Amino acid sequence: MAPFIETVPVTNLPNSMPEGFTGISLKGNDDFGNRPETQVIRWADHSYWMFEFADNRATAVVAYNWSGKLVKKWNMRNIRYIWDVKLNLAEQTVTFWGQGNEQETLPLKELCLSVHQDEGLTKGIC
């Protein structure tokens, strides 16, 4: 199954947000207005959410399995307050845009998790 991006209401944020994070995101480049929706990457049985460190230093991508259990977290290095996410399946990358129009691109293989990896039923999808 190829990854895709879904826009969901911010009220759907996972209940187990990692400690030290907030769910803040921008409406657009440098627009801190209240955003009713956010983008989530869906890939196989995982959902990938973007959360801000509460101390305002950066963003993290956090993966949850199908049952809502936090599986893995990736700290972004150069970006805060993500307002747009784009997948490029031809190049196998995902690009995140944040405050000040900063962007960070990751290879999809860095975000790839095996199906049911956390339950010992590993099935590769990457």
Side-chain angles (χ1 to χ4, degrees), residues 66-79:
W66 61 272
S67 67
K69 178 182 174 188
L70 191 153
V71 177
K72 191 167 180 178
K73 176 175 64 80
W74 296 263
N75 294 338
M76 306 293 277
R77 295 174 293 280
N78 304 312
I79 191 169

Side-chain angles (χ1 to χ4, degrees), residues 5-31:
I5 295 173
E6 182 178 8
T7 301
V8 299
V10 294
T11 55
N12 289 2
L13 287 171
N15 293 329
S16 60
M17 186 182 307
E19 187 174 329
F21 287 86
T22 68
I24 298 171
S25 60
L26 296 176
K27 287 176 76 173
N29 183 31
D30 294 325
D31 182 351

Side-chain angles (χ1 to χ4, degrees), residues 45-107:
D45 63 349
H46 295 96
S47 60
Y48 298 77
W49 295 76
M50 284 55 71
F51 297 131
E52 304 303 318
F53 281 92
D55 64 8
N56 202 28
R57 66 183 136 148
T59 298
V61 176
V62 182
Y64 292 85
N65 69 9
W66 61 272
S67 67
K69 178 182 174 188
L70 191 153
V71 177
K72 191 167 180 178
K73 176 175 64 80
W74 296 263
N75 294 338
M76 306 293 277
R77 295 174 293 280
N78 304 312
I79 191 169
R80 297 183 313 170
Y81 304 114
I82 292 174
W83 59 273
D84 197 14
V85 181
K86 297 286 186 207
L87 287 169
N88 185 327
L89 295 178
E91 293 184 14
Q92 292 292 292
T93 61
V94 58
T95 301
F96 303 89
W97 275 269
Q99 183 180 23
N101 239 5
E102 294 293 324
Q103 61 181 328
E104 189 164 340
T105 300
L106 297 175

Side-chain angles (χ1 to χ4, degrees), residues 33-48:
N34 290 329
R35 185 174 179 174
E37 300 167 331
T38 191
Q39 291 174 301
V40 175
I41 300 169
R42 304 279 190 197
W43 196 0
D45 63 349
H46 295 96
S47 60
Y48 298 77

